[in-house]
Amino acid sequence: MKCQKCDKPATFHITDLVDGKPNELHLCEECAHKFLAPSSDDASEVLPAMAGLLAQHLAVGETAEELARLDQRSCSVCGVTFLEFRKQGRLGCPHDYIGFAAELEPLLLNIHGETRHVGKVPKFCASGAEQQTQLIRLRREMKEAITAEEYEQASTLRDEIRSIEQARDDKTKE
Amino acid sequence: MDFSIINLQELAQTSGEWLRGSGPESDIVISSRIRLARNLADFPFISRATDTDRAEIGKILRGRIERLHEQGKFTGQLVYVDVSALEAIDRQFLVERQLISREHADAEGARAVLIDQREQMSVMINEEDHLRIQVLKSGLDLGAAWEQINELDDLIEARVTYAYNDRFGYLTACPTNVGTGLRVSVMLHLPALVITRQIDKVFRSLQKINLAVRGLYGEGSQAQGDFYQVSNQVTLGQSEEELTKKVGDVVPVLIDYERKARDFLIRESQETLHDRVSRAYGILRTAQTISSEETMHLLSSLRMGVNLGLIRDVAIPTVNKLFVHTQPAHLQKLTGMELDSSDRNIERAAYLRRHLSGDGAGAGHN
């Protein structure tokens, strides 16, 4: 199949969502780049656009129902939906790498040719990171509890937040 | 310590270290840059962060880094710049100096940068990730750049908890940066490869080994000033050393191609080459009005001419500096005036005439 913008073969089949309605595009790699990155003077600016492109590309091959279900899934910590991620090419919080791990694997394989980290490990608190990330959820839940006037719940949450923050601050005493 | 407009004025007068043209292979390699992307574990990524989050993130990171500096953990003078409070022209100035990215300048919301006044190091806060650390060095010097940035990363990490897990590594807002969060780039000046029409072949062979090539200040294969930036595309599944080595290994090959192309031009068309270079020098020294594009194009020929010994009364640091100081924001800061396009073209020509007249070789700062 030919690219819709030039004569090269189309290797990217994009389902663009315009006002929630799908619009099929078939582009070669170069035109796909241009479609998503109108102007950039830095390699690292083109690549995020590619991530968005590939994230959308992931969706091709799923049935409409599978896709709809997948898109509705959201992160338990920050609330971002898979649909939002697919549209922006950007994730909402560190926990997304756990919540959407299965979906991210093929995307990472596409971008990097690999799916596991090799290399530097944080010297000081590699294992404590996920616990700190839960603070995002706890703070959000505390705010919601206060709005709903569930003050006991808010108080429990605040204590939990404080103890995790204490663990974090102990590390930064200097 | 806050950066005032006056300090930016001072910065405009000097040259960052990367412009000095003093590092290894600096006839062809302008600079080496390493960047690390990091996020705090306990805040959403930028696209999901509220204004309060951003302010909090900025406060934490600024505090930690400034305290490190107070404790003498790294040398040099460190300055905090609130990018969101700067005028557009000052943001543009920092982009031209390679101290912040275009994205950081154009975005909205609380964001900042910490700059070391020798301009070797800059730390962007609340760009695409919470932290984007950058080390910039003159010439080909990736080993030293990696050591410096690795140390700074450890120093910061001792004070905060980075978003990280064992499976995917350092967690970033965009999956294209996850894992090492590392972007290694080398900026090269390749005018002979452009003249001999080999630049596209070079592009294609680099793309085959997963390296990205980008023209500086421009798009597509004809870069303004014949500057090209080569960087890694992959950040996951290879170590920082492997990724740095991959870029580092390809640079000598590119240098060799460029040198051979220059030799070819000298052997086969010495007069044409000399004429090209001399005309460029002539126009730059006498034009009354000149566009940024034409300036970049002519400075590129001039730079090659100086490297090849065809022009002897101008020094490389001067030429390097002219590339940057004739950019729009620099021009306006140096003259202290806001100028529209046609006035800039006149001012640019005046600036070039002043700096290329006779004593261009060691004229020092202005």
Side-chain angles (χ1 to χ4, degrees), chain A residues 42, chain B residues 33 98 185-187 212-216 227-231:
Chain A
D42 181 345
Chain B
R33 180 168 70 173
Q98 308 238 299
S185 322
V186 175
M187 203 203 307
V213 186
R214 214 64 193 164
L216 195 72
F227 290 115
Y228 294 90
Q229 192 148 282
V230 177
S231 47

Side-chain angles (χ1 to χ4, degrees), chain B residues 10-241:
Chain B
E10 281 171 20
L11 195 65
Q13 306 286 347
T14 62
S15 282
E17 128 121 28
W18 66 272
L19 284 170
R20 294 201 204 290
S22 53
E25 314 284 10
S26 53
D27 56 334
I28 293 173
V29 181
I30 309 293
S31 59
S32 306
R33 180 168 70 173
I34 299 195
R35 178 273 273 155
L36 287 175
R38 300 287 189 251
N39 289 280
L40 296 178
D42 58 332
F43 284 93
F45 292 143
I46 288 296
S47 65
R48 201 94 183 146
T50 61
D51 290 336
T52 315
D53 287 331
R54 291 173 81 123
E56 193 56 31
I57 292 165
K59 192 166 137 219
I60 291 170
L61 289 171
R62 177 186 183 178
R64 301 284 187 265
I65 295 173
E66 283 184 337
R67 203 163 328 148
L68 278 175
H69 184 57
E70 280 158 26
Q71 292 171 331
K73 301 277 186 181
F74 50 84
T75 51
Q77 245 196 309
L78 194 66
V79 184
Y80 174 82
V81 182
D82 180 353
V83 175
S84 57
L86 289 180
E87 301 279 336
I89 194 172
D90 292 320
R91 297 197 298 268
Q92 174 64 18
F93 170 82
L94 292 174
V95 172
E96 289 170 5
R97 272 298 166 105
Q98 308 238 299
L99 293 170
I100 66 175
S101 63
R102 159 74 47 219
E103 225 180 54
H104 206 43
D106 295 347
E108 304 272 318
R111 63 204 191 283
V113 65
L114 285 143
I115 305 173
D116 116 79
Q117 276 203 294
R118 288 166 312 167
E119 295 174 63
Q120 278 196 67
M121 210 155 65
S122 81
V123 181
M124 290 190 283
I125 297 176
N126 291 338
E127 202 239 28
E128 186 184 298
D129 294 293
H130 299 158
L131 255 187
R132 287 273 176 110
I133 309 169
Q134 170 185 288
V135 168
L136 192 55
K137 298 197 87 71
S138 179
L140 181 61
D141 210 358
L142 290 172
W146 169 246
E147 262 178 53
Q148 256 181 275
I149 203 173
N150 192 24
E151 191 189 338
L152 180 56
D153 185 41
D154 287 344
L155 287 171
I156 298 173
E157 198 248 321
R159 304 286 183 277
V160 300
T161 305
Y162 283 156
Y164 173 90
N165 74 37
D166 284 326
R167 182 176 179 184
F168 295 127
Y170 291 91
L171 306 177
T172 52
C174 186
T176 52
N177 289 307
V178 80
T180 58
L182 177 75
R183 189 79 58 205
V184 178
S185 322
V186 175
M187 203 203 307
L188 300 131
H189 186 221
L190 304 173
L193 286 175
V194 174
I195 294 171
T196 57
R197 299 185 211 270
Q198 296 177 77
I199 198 75
D200 283 327
K201 189 179 73 176
V202 165
F203 264 34
R204 282 194 299 272
S205 56
L206 288 173
Q207 278 163 353
K208 284 201 183 112
I209 52 172
N210 273 327
L211 292 178
V213 186
R214 214 64 193 164
L216 195 72
Y217 302 130
E219 275 185 31
S221 52
Q222 179 69 42
Q224 283 193 34
D226 305 318
F227 290 115
Y228 294 90
Q229 192 148 282
V230 177
S231 47
N232 63 305
Q233 283 194 322
V234 159
T235 57
L236 179 67
Q238 290 178 61
S239 72
E240 289 81 1
E241 284 74 16

Side-chain angles (χ1 to χ4, degrees), chain A residues 39 47 78 90-92 97 105 112 116-118 120-125 132-133 136 139 168 171-172, chain B residues 41-43 45 48 128 150 153-154 157 159-160 164 167-168 170 172-173 175-176 219 235 237-238 240:
Chain A
S39 84
L47 297 173
C78 71
R90 297 277 192 289
L91 293 163
Y97 282 96
E105 286 240 354
H112 303 282
R116 287 208 73 110
H117 174 58
V118 167
K120 188 172 181 184
V121 172
K123 274 199 165 86
F124 299 96
C125 198
Q132 297 295 323
T133 301
I136 302 172
R139 287 179 193 138
R168 176 192 71 187
K171 179 187 168 191
T172 65
Chain B
D42 58 332
F43 284 93
F45 292 143
R48 201 94 183 146
E128 186 184 298
N150 192 24
D153 185 41
D154 287 344
E157 198 248 321
R159 304 286 183 277
V160 300
Y164 173 90
R167 182 176 179 184
F168 295 127
Y170 291 91
T172 52
T176 52
E219 275 185 31
T235 57
Q238 290 178 61
E240 289 81 1

Side-chain angles (χ1 to χ4, degrees), chain A residues 84-102:
Chain A
E84 284 172 302
F85 161 58
R86 276 206 308 120
K87 287 186 89 170
Q88 295 171 13
R90 297 277 192 289
L91 293 163
C93 79
H95 186 80
D96 294 358
Y97 282 96
I98 294 177
F100 297 139

Side-chain angles (χ1 to χ4, degrees), chain B residues 306-317:
Chain B
V306 174
N307 282 144
L308 295 174
L310 296 170
I311 306 252
R312 289 170 194 281
D313 54 357
V314 185
I316 286 295

